[in-house]
Amino acid sequence: MKKKTVLITGASSGIGEASARALAAAGYRVFGGVRRLDSAREIPGVEFVKLDVQDEDSIAAAVHAVLQKTGRIDILVNNAGVALAGPVEATSDAEAKALFDVNLFGVLRVVRALLPSMRSHRSGLIVNVSSVLGFLPAPFMGLYAASKHALEGLSESLDHEVRGFGIRVVLLQPSFTRTKLDANATKTQAVIEDYAAAFAGSVEAVRQQVASAPPPEDVAKKLLAVIESTHQLRRPADGRAKLLSVLRRFAPLGQVDKSLRRAFGLQA
């Protein structure tokens, strides 16, 4: 049986690269969207297309190029994302807008470009890579958490709208993953000394969590399982994410609060 065609954004590193490798190895025809073709490392079975989620013309050209070759895109994986670390109070409008322009509006642009084709075929799957920070707070990563909370609301609403066309939406929710996203998050330019010590401790705590976190290949395996199994809207990508999802729903709020503060290096 012919495997389906997949388009993955942000496929040059981290979860996107691992996912492209895993899906290609499983027999899918994979197109990896990257901002720079000259710096993308070759992946067996993966065809790269230039795709910048902040540029509508780039997205349109990439989608057109894939459709010209395949006639359809069965699965879209919105993986491209950026992170921002710093106190909410220190975050400028420009920094917040730049973050949302990738993490939320980037997804919106790609979805808008692809849905007409999916609707015409009356089938499709959209996997939006969210985070446990889509349902949990994140001290000193407040704008990042806000962008993922927004992505979750968008995705759930979209799933209701497109379901009648045979299209479904899934939220893949990793916890800390051993990639460069969290460890190398851009820091807010403004510095407020009152937050300095707590922020430094939080950055170190996150660094330690990332160093001991599962690799992106584990998330890629979960993505493959999500694609090949019965639809569920929210899919925790690892054991810790699943535990956090359960705790968020059922554990006493005080217990969740203390656990989260420990995870981000804050005093109880």
Side-chain angles (χ1 to χ4, degrees):
M1 186 173 109
K2 183 180 177 182
K3 285 286 187 178
K4 296 179 177 180
T5 299
V6 185
L7 174 62
I8 303 177
T9 68
S12 62
S13 63
I15 291 172
E17 179 183 358
S19 297
R21 289 183 184 278
L23 294 182
Y28 289 85
R29 186 169 185 185
V30 179
F31 290 85
V34 296
R35 285 185 299 170
R36 293 184 55 186
L37 290 171
D38 59 349
S39 61
R41 292 180 293 183
E42 183 177 349
I43 301 175
V46 176
E47 301 172 63
F48 288 114
V49 291
K50 181 176 173 58
L51 195 162
D52 182 347
V53 299
Q54 294 180 280
D55 184 339
E56 287 196 5
D57 291 339
S58 168
I59 296 166
V63 170
H64 178 74
V66 175
L67 291 177
Q68 284 288 100
K69 290 183 177 182
T70 65
R72 62 190 295 163
I73 297 171
D74 302 288
I75 302 162
L76 167 64
V77 181
N78 279 309
N79 165 76
V82 294
L84 177 69
V88 168
E89 184 182 348
T91 307
S92 69
D93 285 358
E95 289 167 333
K97 288 175 181 177
L99 180 76
F100 270 75
D101 196 48
V102 175
N103 291 3
L104 183 67
F105 291 104
V107 171
L108 179 60
R109 292 183 192 106
V110 180
V111 165
R112 276 200 312 248
L114 212 54
L115 273 178
S117 174
M118 286 186 170
R119 282 191 290 103
S120 71
H121 290 286
R122 288 301 192 263
S123 68
L125 176 66
I126 298 169
V127 181
N128 291 333
V129 179
S130 181
S131 166
V132 295
L133 300 185
F135 59 83
L136 287 170
F140 300 111
M141 293 187 72
L143 271 297
Y144 178 81
S147 73
K148 293 301 184 180
H149 276 66
L151 177 63
E152 299 233 342
L154 174 71
S155 300
E156 187 166 2
S157 301
L158 179 63
D159 183 64
H160 283 284
E161 294 175 4
V162 300
R163 197 179 301 179
F165 306 118
I167 304 165
R168 298 308 302 263
V169 181
V170 173
L171 284 156
L172 185 63
Q173 300 167 315
S175 61
F176 286 116
T177 307
R178 204 184 316 146
T179 69
K180 296 179 180 179
L181 179 68
D182 294 312
N184 294 343
T186 300
K187 294 181 175 61
T188 54
Q189 284 194 322
V191 176
I192 301 175
E193 285 302 323
D194 279 352
Y195 295 108
F199 180 38
S202 182
V203 169
E204 176 58 22
V206 169
R207 187 196 66 78
Q208 292 179 14
Q209 300 255 18
V210 170
S212 61
E217 287 76 16
D218 286 13
V219 180
K221 290 177 185 176
K222 183 64 177 182
L223 172 63
L224 179 60
V226 165
I227 289 172
E228 297 187 342
S229 63
T230 304
H231 176 268
Q232 294 179 39
L233 177 68
R234 287 180 169 84
R235 300 296 293 266
D238 50 71
R240 184 177 185 186
K242 186 173 183 178
L243 175 61
L244 288 170
S245 178
V246 172
L247 289 175
R248 181 61 164 173
R249 292 173 61 194
F250 300 113
L253 292 178
Q255 179 182 337
V256 175
D257 184 86
K258 289 179 181 178
S259 175
L260 185 138
R261 289 182 68 80
R262 282 196 302 269
F264 281 87
L266 300 177
Q267 295 179 355

